[in-house]
Amino acid sequence: MTVLRADDFEAFLKNKSARMNGLLLHGSDAEAVGVLARQATRTLCEAEKVPGSLHHLDVAVIKENPGALIDEFQSLSLLGDRQILLADGVDDNFLKFAKPAIETTKLANFLVILAGSLAKSSKLRLACEDATLFASLAVYEEDRAALSNRLRKQMAEHGLKWAGDAEASFFERVGHDRPSVNQEMAKLLLYCLGMAEITEEDVLAICGNTAAFGTDELIDAMLQGDGQNTDRMAASFDGDQRTILIMVLNHLTRLQNLRAEIDSGSSYDAVMRSAKPPIFFKRQSNIKSQIRRYDSDGLYELQELVSSAILQTRKIPSMADAITNRTLLSIARNAAARSL
């Protein structure tokens, strides 16, 4: 029986997962479950050192073909390495298909199961908690103290710490909603890359000043090859221009994750439905066209371009506006040259 606590999670991934067959992550906080799932799959794939070792399972296909899951679970790659299987959005009924895998006592592929809130009497939850080679973690909403502790650990991994009243200012501007906290912290970490501290001035410059600005509209125009509207919207931005580049980089990273799901066999519609956080339905057609326009290599090249531009704005702050504008227009030209 392996029932994990939140504090055990990282140690489990680092020290025990190689001897286990799977992990159930469940809870009412879908964003938190998604964050831990991305951490788990990233760590597990890095441990296997096999490109493309993450495979998203289509739960609808499994329901139509109950034997598909155990076949995937027991099939090693051509190189003999373990595959990381991800089943998202499941409920208690998933046990009918997953039970043979959960009860397996021999090492096989690693199955990550994501579910909503499961009661203590849940058959799926009990099966994973009782299984020899499976672990289970219930994910609960974080209070301010838990959020603060997690962010401090995350910052420490990047060699950063809060300075003065920066942490208080951060929560005052961002609030305590996990998705908002995660998004704003990601922006801060990029903005403060190479520094030793995050100051209150950094927080005021980067957090909470983009709500009134249609960043999504700018990014979509840019990746559709609309240089004129890209230039117009960038020029109307009232704030630190480096914020735009950071949000572009975050968006490209998300596109990279969605592209990976498509490459592993998921349909565009399935990827749109299962995206975490959800993609607003009015924007889904734009996201689909962006994924169709760029393969993984193309997205990686754009990520490198934006990362380099962010570094340049840090080295030459006086040129931040020009560097940002040049980078956005370069991406727009790149997108315009690509056919769908």
Side-chain angles (χ1 to χ4, degrees):
M1 176 183 290
T2 305
V3 180
L4 301 175
R5 299 174 303 170
D7 291 342
D8 302 327
F9 185 65
E10 292 184 6
F12 168 80
L13 293 178
K14 182 178 180 180
N15 303 320
K16 296 183 179 180
S17 60
R19 304 188 299 275
M20 303 290 282
N21 276 344
L23 169 68
L24 168 66
L25 294 170
H26 64 96
S28 57
D29 190 338
E31 173 67 18
V33 171
V35 168
L36 293 181
R38 289 190 290 274
Q39 180 182 352
T41 53
R42 182 175 61 251
T43 301
L44 293 166
C45 287
E46 290 174 352
E48 293 301 322
K49 299 180 181 178
V50 181
S53 59
L54 175 62
H55 179 55
H56 290 75
L57 300 178
D58 191 325
V59 177
V61 172
I62 290 173
K63 289 180 178 179
E64 294 176 0
N65 181 12
L69 191 150
I70 191 64
D71 288 343
E72 291 270 11
F73 183 69
Q74 294 178 335
S75 300
L76 294 178
S77 72
L78 294 176
L79 299 176
D81 299 282
R82 293 210 297 172
Q83 300 293 295
I84 313 303
L85 310 177
L86 178 64
D88 192 2
V90 309
D91 54 25
D92 234 20
N93 292 325
F94 187 69
L95 181 61
K96 293 188 294 186
F97 318 106
K99 188 174 182 179
I102 294 171
E103 293 181 345
T104 297
T105 56
K106 293 183 179 180
L107 204 62
N109 288 323
F110 196 98
L111 175 61
V112 180
I113 303 172
L114 308 187
S117 183
L118 297 176
K120 291 184 178 180
S121 59
S122 159
K123 293 182 179 179
L124 175 61
R125 178 175 178 176
L126 290 172
C128 291
E129 290 178 351
D130 292 339
T132 304
L133 298 182
F134 259 73
S136 176
L137 172 62
V139 184
Y140 302 104
E141 293 188 7
E142 294 176 301
D143 58 18
R144 164 65 188 273
L147 275 173
S148 178
N149 185 53
R150 178 167 62 82
L151 293 186
R152 286 172 181 264
K153 289 182 179 179
Q154 189 177 357
M155 290 163 58
E157 292 174 358
H158 293 77
L160 287 163
K161 62 181 180 179
W162 295 115
D165 294 328
E167 182 178 19
S169 294
F170 176 83
F171 283 110
E172 181 179 343
R173 289 176 72 85
V174 175
H176 299 85
D177 178 62
R178 189 194 299 260
S180 298
V181 167
N182 290 340
Q183 178 177 315
E184 296 302 313
M185 177 50 66
K187 288 159 55 179
L188 263 180
L189 291 176
L190 283 170
Y191 185 75
C192 296
L193 187 67
M195 296 183 177
E197 295 181 325
I198 295 179
T199 67
E200 188 172 10
E201 288 74 20
D202 295 326
V203 172
L204 296 176
I206 206 70
C207 295
N209 64 350
T210 60
F213 176 70
T215 311
D216 288 348
E217 290 83 357
L218 185 154
I219 291 173
D220 289 346
M222 178 186 67
L223 291 174
Q224 288 165 2
D226 187 348
Q228 182 175 356
N229 276 322
T230 298
D231 186 48
R232 176 183 60 79
M233 286 187 278
S236 68
F237 178 66
D238 183 19
D240 192 321
Q241 288 283 335
R242 286 173 288 185
T243 302
I244 302 177
L245 292 179
I246 290 170
M247 297 196 74
V248 169
L249 186 59
N250 288 341
H251 181 74
L252 292 173
T253 300
R254 189 177 196 195
L255 287 184
Q256 188 75 271
N257 293 334
L258 297 174
R259 179 76 254 179
E261 293 185 38
I262 297 294
D263 292 342
S264 69
S266 297
S267 68
Y268 284 92
D269 289 338
V271 168
M272 292 298 108
R273 287 195 303 269
S274 62
K276 299 289 189 308
I279 299 171
F280 187 48
F281 76 95
K282 289 186 177 180
R283 200 182 179 208
Q284 289 186 9
S285 61
N286 289 335
I287 300 297
K288 284 183 185 179
S289 69
Q290 292 164 23
I291 301 173
R292 289 192 176 101
R293 194 182 299 270
Y294 286 95
D295 58 16
S296 292
D297 289 340
L299 289 170
Y300 177 76
E301 290 175 2
L302 294 187
Q303 288 172 305
E304 288 288 289
L305 174 66
V306 176
S307 295
S308 176
I310 292 173
L311 182 60
Q312 290 177 38
T313 63
R314 293 194 58 80
K315 291 181 176 179
I316 319 173
S318 61
M319 295 293 292
D321 289 3
I323 293 169
T324 298
N325 188 259
R326 181 189 64 194
T327 304
L328 298 179
L329 291 178
S330 177
I331 295 174
R333 287 193 294 270
N334 182 285
R338 291 173 176 265
S339 59
L340 291 176

